[in-house]
Amino acid sequence: MSKVRRHVQAWIIANVKDNEPFAVLTYSYEYFFLEPLISLKRSYPNMRVVSIITDLSDDAMAFNSNRSFLKKIQMHFVGRRMRNCLKGVDRFVLLTPHMTEVIFEASGKNIVVEGIYGNSDNITSDSRLSKSLLYTGTFQEFAGVRLLVDAFMKTTDPDYRLILCGSGSCTGYIEACAKTDTRIDLRGRVTREEAVRLQKSVTLLVNPRKPEGGITRYSFPSKTMEYMSSGTPMIGYRLDGIPEEYFHHMIVPEGLTEEALAQTIDHWLSLDDDVLSVKGARARNFILSSKTAKEQVRKIIEFITDN
């Protein structure tokens, strides 16, 4: 920690004029980063400490392997130390507003920045794949991929096509379903470039993750931003960590059942390309106009410098 303090203090001496207000940002709220910064504030009252929090360390430490008696004792003391540090943080940048339920020190002095769009416009699409639905991501139960496969198999149009790119524990189940329903196209792992190219080529994109578990409340699925920037309409559930403004540009199933998802897929794959193009273009414009690095960082800077 003394190394962090020395490094930051050297930067202050070299770059900050007397009594000039400045901010130091951390991409973590671990005590070994915050403690030396909080202590520096005693020498530099014009210094503002800003903590950018994109995940919750308490969740990361809650695995079964960490539940021993000694680990609980360690977590108790680490947690108390961390709480003391958080009281000295001036501003917080959070991934979702619900994080204040856990980091209550951030209440009233935070801004929510759910993500930053990473430009992929240099990747061009292949020829358009009609009546096609794409999922790119992990093949795990919690991600909803099994729900997606089961829902798709309830549709009956022989021209529909479900393309799945990724890997995980549900791979065997998907392989078995693909043998039964030849409309399922299992690609496995692909490069990011290939994934983006497919996202721009298919008819619909889908994130089948349902609003279940704390992670959907305290996280923002980056897939949402990537999908919407492609210009292809996206099906997705109303997750707590997704700001309300996104749902104006998404297709949200009216229920959480396989049947509701199947009906949503059927309805949207049956629409004219013109209707789908308008829906996708509006979503893309939303991302490009308000979620780029320039726009999101501007919000953070204005928030940090606001008195």
Side-chain angles (χ1 to χ4, degrees):
M1 289 189 290
S2 59
K3 187 176 181 179
V4 173
R5 181 187 171 95
R6 287 197 305 269
H7 180 80
V8 174
Q9 189 165 29
W11 180 89
I12 294 172
I13 293 171
N15 295 278
V16 179
K17 299 176 182 178
D18 292 341
N19 299 319
E20 180 184 22
F22 67 98
V24 178
L25 283 67
T26 70
Y27 197 69
S28 169
Y29 66 113
E30 302 291 352
Y31 70 89
F32 41 80
F33 285 113
L34 289 179
E35 276 186 356
L37 299 181
I38 300 302
S39 68
L40 275 173
K41 287 175 63 178
R42 301 187 190 103
S43 302
Y44 301 97
N46 50 328
M47 171 180 169
R48 181 170 282 178
V49 176
V50 181
S51 185
I52 300 174
I53 303 177
T54 58
D55 57 30
L56 301 177
S57 62
D58 287 348
D59 289 344
M61 298 176 70
F63 300 116
N64 290 332
S65 60
N66 285 342
R67 290 180 180 171
S68 69
F69 178 70
L70 292 178
K71 179 58 70 173
K72 287 180 180 178
I73 293 176
Q74 179 192 12
M75 289 174 66
H76 171 74
F77 284 105
V78 168
R80 189 166 65 179
R81 201 168 176 179
M82 190 180 299
R83 288 293 178 195
N84 288 333
C85 288
L86 290 173
K87 293 174 184 177
V89 174
D90 299 291
R91 300 289 170 92
F92 292 84
V93 180
L94 305 180
L95 201 66
T96 80
H98 309 294
M99 281 183 165
T100 57
E101 299 167 355
V102 178
I103 307 172
F104 45 81
E105 293 84 356
S107 296
K109 51 180 181 178
N110 73 82
I111 186 175
V112 174
V113 177
E114 73 283 4
I116 294 176
Y117 166 60
N119 197 318
S120 58
D121 284 349
N122 59 321
I123 302 175
T124 57
S125 63
D126 292 328
S127 56
R128 200 72 180 173
L129 302 173
S130 63
K131 295 189 176 184
S132 54
L133 181 68
L134 173 68
Y135 169 79
T136 58
T138 182
F139 292 172
Q140 301 290 348
E141 188 86 29
F142 70 81
V145 66
R146 185 163 180 160
L147 166 71
L148 170 60
V149 171
D150 291 343
F152 180 79
M153 292 177 71
K154 289 183 180 297
T155 66
T156 58
D157 192 315
D159 294 326
Y160 287 176
R161 186 180 181 189
L162 172 61
I163 303 172
L164 300 120
C165 300
S167 63
S169 61
C170 292
T171 299
Y173 179 76
I174 299 171
E175 289 174 340
C177 291
K179 291 178 182 178
T180 302
D181 191 333
T182 57
R183 301 176 304 163
I184 298 174
D185 182 356
L186 178 58
R187 301 282 181 96
R189 291 185 178 181
V190 298
T191 64
R192 181 180 181 278
E193 182 176 336
E194 178 60 21
V196 173
R197 183 173 288 112
L198 280 168
Q199 290 166 10
K200 295 180 177 182
S201 303
V202 297
T203 311
L204 292 174
L205 301 169
V206 60
N207 181 7
R209 187 170 202 157
K210 294 199 289 185
E212 298 173 345
I215 192 171
T216 63
R217 191 166 179 79
Y218 306 127
S219 65
F220 174 82
S222 58
K223 189 194 313 290
T224 304
M225 201 172 283
E226 181 179 295
Y227 273 5
M228 294 175 73
S229 68
S230 70
T232 301
M234 171 193 169
I235 298 173
Y237 291 105
R238 189 176 287 274
L239 304 181
D240 287 337
I242 300 178
E244 183 64 28
E245 59 185 337
Y246 281 80
F247 298 117
H248 300 304
H249 308 284
M250 288 171 53
I251 301 163
V252 182
E254 294 189 4
L256 302 179
T257 63
E258 294 172 14
E259 290 76 14
L261 182 54
Q263 290 171 7
T264 303
I265 293 169
D266 252 331
H267 173 73
W268 284 89
L269 285 183
S270 67
L271 296 180
D272 293 338
D273 287 343
D274 290 345
V275 176
L276 295 167
S277 295
V278 170
K279 181 73 173 179
R282 286 176 177 169
R284 174 174 166 77
N285 290 338
F286 164 68
I287 297 297
L288 296 185
S289 64
S290 60
K291 304 302 175 182
T292 61
K294 181 179 180 179
E295 283 300 308
Q296 297 290 62
V297 172
R298 178 187 60 78
K299 295 174 189 174
I300 294 173
I301 293 174
E302 288 180 354
F303 172 69
I304 291 173
T305 56
D306 181 26
N307 293 325

